[in-house]
Amino acid sequence: MATGTSLPTGASWFLVLPDTDAVAALAAPVRSRAVREIRHASGRPWLLGCWPEDSVTTAVCGRTRLCVLGQHAVTEREAARAAGAGSPAAAERLARTWPGSHHLLASFDGEALALGTVTGVRSLFVASARGADGACVVADRADVLADLVDAEPDEGRLAVHLLSPGILHPLTAQTVWRGVDVVPGDHRLTLDRDGHARTSRHWSPPPAELSLAEGARLVRDRLADAVAVRVAGDGPVTADLGGVDSTAVVCTAARQGVKIVAYTAAVHDVLGDDVTYAQRTAEALDALEHHVVPATAVPLTFDGVHELHDTLDTPSLYSVNRHRRMYIIERAAERGSSLHLSGMGGDELFSGASAHVHGLLRRHPRTGWRHTRGFVTRHRWSRRTALRQLLDGRSYGAWLDQVARDVTLPQPPMSVPLFEWGTPPRLPPWATGQAVEAVRDLIRTQAAEAEPLGSGHGVHRELATMRTLARFARHVQQMSEPLGITFASPYYDDLLVEAALAVRPQERVTPWRYKPLIEEAMRGVVPDASRRRTTKAHAAFEEETGLRRHRSSLLALWDDARLHGLGLIDVEAVRAWCRRPLAADLESALLHATVGCEVWLRSRENSAGRRGRPRTDTGGNPA
């Protein structure tokens, strides 16, 4: 493996190797770095890497090997049943019924199968091995795979990560390396015996046919299962306790008799009411130990951005809030926690997308117009702009073409309706002409063949947002692993995503109720005083004050800026922007993507000299 691979101690990763001697040259150095190994029936290495022993269940049936890796409670008997199902398709059908978040990996007499999760929390990446006659290798971390095949960053793909907002299917889900491709979460990947890779779709959004009441029962059951598989161990459990979604997770665990230590971070805004609702929840639950973290103790946005060194496999918007996000998890680690529960993903599932009215108007005009008027009135949107968006019948590819043309325009104001395929992303004013042309070329190339993630604007926006934000849950997990903590975000589990999307959108997403699906699902689980909450805390003060307080740290980031060296940003323009007083909602937020890219590039350089742990065992797997 290339010397650039230097994941921190405790980091989890794996490689999937085809059952061919063509990759032997690659496998040798990897085996010296891996902690665990599982082999094909032929005896050749199949899975190599480092992962917690309690995160894997394996089974052997004849010449079939099957591995479930991640957050799950799959027993050896269940895994053996899937391994003996007779075909990859039959094994998949069984695996889709298992709650949790996990990779399914199997070797069927040398033909390898790999599945991640729909949202990409469990991702897969694939690349051709040099000098291996077209054989490919697969990994769950893009950086591990890039180092293995000596892939270099692609400046154009990196420029895409400067977009704000960074939600543009399929571009923003792609890797930043030449020759390293992401496997879409709704696709399976197979490697034949010669190592040739192919992908095929295995998941589509379910029909949205359930009533709110039916969907609420299903969501409640699925959330209970998702939490149960994670808290099944004996280790201490901690959790975020803030908004509606994290409250549902905490209460679900507490109702299962789990002793939880929950943390609520206060904010400086006097209207922020997370602490008030969290205290009400804690008073109603016996199995909950609750701690309020004062607002003055939690780091502000932009804290220490010039000296971050997390080893992440993609640039992350979370860089600007790294210390803020990790503060509670670090306290949990000091407490000895082995599992930290979060409510990440709940907003995408339960707030949903108002863009559903675009299709609703065509199927149920009266209901569609009623919802349209409600959304326009509630958000004070322009009626003329809303009507224009609703009458826009362009394909997704045509919409992408428009995005490419408009990518240098100022960001749309917050008052623009959200009925299109997506919020058109913009490049920041400090993006160079080279960056602009690279991004436009990539968007136009994708526009020729890109298909939306769902049959309508609403489902597409929801799934595109989930795929983007789920990447941040992966980043938090990657930052938590060296602390010895498993970070869990059950709302990104496939079964929960399916349960929520199966509810009729006009009942799940309305302008008159705040997250009606989770509110109904949590009857009898979350105390009513918290279940009926309709507010959400924001951290605009932390953002704006953080910029002023940590301006020197932010400016130091642009000394010898790597993005400038790649020709992607005008460093003086970004410096001038950082010296201004900026509004948190648009102007300051425009910095996040650029900071994330610069921090990632620096972290890659700083970690290049580190080494992984030596191989200590073969995981008890057959030779």
Side-chain angles (χ1 to χ4, degrees), residues 27 129 145 159 254 378 414 550-551:
L145 192 55
R378 174 183 174 184
M414 300 293 287
H550 301 300
R551 197 184 304 273

Side-chain angles (χ1 to χ4, degrees), residues 175-186:
T175 79
V176 296
W177 281 281
R178 297 184 184 93
V180 177
D181 296 315
V182 67
V183 179
D186 53 8

Side-chain angles (χ1 to χ4, degrees), residues 147-159:
D147 287 331
L148 178 69
V149 300
D150 293 324
E152 295 293 331
D154 182 294
E155 289 83 356
R157 289 189 179 189
L158 191 59

Side-chain angles (χ1 to χ4, degrees), residues 55-246:
S55 69
V56 64
T57 299
T58 59
V60 176
C61 182
R63 296 186 64 81
T64 296
R65 273 76 175 133
L66 186 138
C67 175
V68 187
L69 184 57
Q71 298 171 20
H72 62 90
V74 178
T75 65
E76 290 184 3
R77 176 176 292 184
E78 290 172 317
R81 183 183 174 203
S87 69
E92 276 186 48
R93 284 194 295 271
L94 288 172
R96 281 199 289 269
T97 67
W98 297 335
S101 173
H102 45 78
H103 286 96
L104 175 68
L105 308 167
S107 172
F108 292 88
D109 194 17
E111 181 173 307
L113 167 72
L115 278 81
T117 58
V118 169
T119 62
V121 167
R122 305 281 164 180
S123 290
L124 289 169
F125 305 92
V126 60
S128 295
R130 294 182 182 180
D133 298 324
C136 293
V137 287
V138 181
D140 68 327
R141 287 188 58 130
D143 52 354
V144 169
L145 192 55
D147 287 331
L148 178 69
V149 300
D150 293 324
E152 295 293 331
D154 182 294
E155 289 83 356
R157 289 189 179 189
L158 191 59
V160 166
H161 285 266
L162 300 177
L163 288 169
S164 181
I167 304 174
L168 190 64
H169 165 74
L171 285 91
T172 49
Q174 294 170 346
T175 79
V176 296
W177 281 281
R178 297 184 184 93
V180 177
D181 296 315
V182 67
V183 179
D186 53 8
H187 282 58
R188 68 176 65 82
L189 180 138
T190 56
L191 297 174
D192 65 21
R193 291 175 180 81
D194 293 322
H196 299 141
R198 64 182 184 275
T199 61
S200 56
R201 189 161 187 161
H202 74 87
W203 185 90
S204 296
E209 299 172 344
L210 299 183
S211 68
L212 184 65
E214 293 170 324
R217 289 192 293 270
L218 184 58
V219 166
R220 180 171 59 246
D221 292 344
R222 294 278 173 86
L223 181 58
D225 291 341
V227 170
V229 301
R230 290 171 165 96
V231 301
D234 298 327
V237 177
T238 54
D240 297 323
L241 180 57
V244 169
D245 307 315
S246 60

Side-chain angles (χ1 to χ4, degrees), residues 379-397:
H379 299 296
R380 300 181 181 179
W381 287 339
S382 162
R383 288 177 170 80
R384 178 176 296 180
T385 305
L387 182 61
R388 177 179 57 78
Q389 290 184 359
L390 292 171
L391 294 176
D392 186 353
R394 285 180 298 175
S395 67
Y396 184 63

Side-chain angles (χ1 to χ4, degrees), residues 315-370:
S316 179
L317 291 179
Y318 261 36
S319 294
V320 299
N321 278 310
R322 190 272 179 203
H323 292 321
R324 183 170 181 78
R325 170 70 258 191
M326 293 300 293
Y327 184 83
I328 284 177
I329 295 178
E330 288 165 353
R331 305 292 79 74
E334 293 171 357
R335 187 67 183 264
S337 173
S338 59
L339 172 72
H340 191 81
L341 298 169
S342 84
M344 289 183 70
D347 283 338
E348 301 94 281
L349 279 186
F350 304 126
S351 292
S354 57
H356 279 291
V357 301
H358 188 278
L360 193 60
L361 279 169
R362 290 151 177 80
R363 299 190 306 273
H364 306 287
R366 181 175 297 180
T367 302
W369 280 119
R370 182 169 175 264

